Amino acid sequence: MCAAKLVIVEDDIFLREELLSVLQKEGYDVREISSFNSVLDEIVAMNPSLVLLDLNLPGHSGFALCRSLKIHGISPILVLTSRNQLQDELRALDLGADDYLTKPCPPSRLLARIEKLLNLYKNMRSLLDAGSFQLDENTFEVISGERSLALPENEGKVLREIIRKAPIVVSKESLFHCLWGTSEYVDDNILQVNMTRLRKDLAKLGLADCIETVRGEGYRMRSGEAHEK
């Protein structure tokens, strides 16, 4: 089983490195945000299992970032901040934070809260219904009848975007942004490779023809409308 991917959003480099060390020793796949120019796009592209979020960030409102992450389907969010006022905690929770801890925080407490949130979300499925199958949009598990298959991250993101937009055609540019956060300097062949792999994986469940290529436009679900359960 793959280690949970955690993203640290903290501008204090010393604290960030300390958190990185603590979490890596626990076996987590830990990423860190060190530049805050396009922090939202970076986090979304990483598709983390959990975000550890400070509220005091250079040039950004941690509250606004928390809300934006939730809008993009990124969960859970654990706020770790020096802001110890009740009004700040209530505001963060209202904007979508799943937990709130104040600095300094004992590593044992932080690890316990992280484990609790990961276990909670692991047992929560968010299923997209594509008619003949379902996709767990958090884990990218495809479920068809009694069979299931976990897709690699990029394939899962592509399929999720196509199901969400069904029956509308999803353009290549939209998929570029979904996968890499930009459509500049991206070779069409890279997307084509991901589509070919996705179709091969779906074929293992008898779903090879569920995605239709619309020449000159992009891709769409071949079946009826998809909707979230």
Side-chain angles (χ1 to χ4, degrees), residues 85-103:
Q85 297 298 310
L86 177 60
Q87 62 187 24
D88 291 324
E89 179 176 354
L90 294 177
R91 183 183 177 193
L93 294 173
D94 186 56
L95 291 172
D98 296 274
D99 204 346
Y100 193 101
L101 291 173
T102 55
K103 308 170 187 174

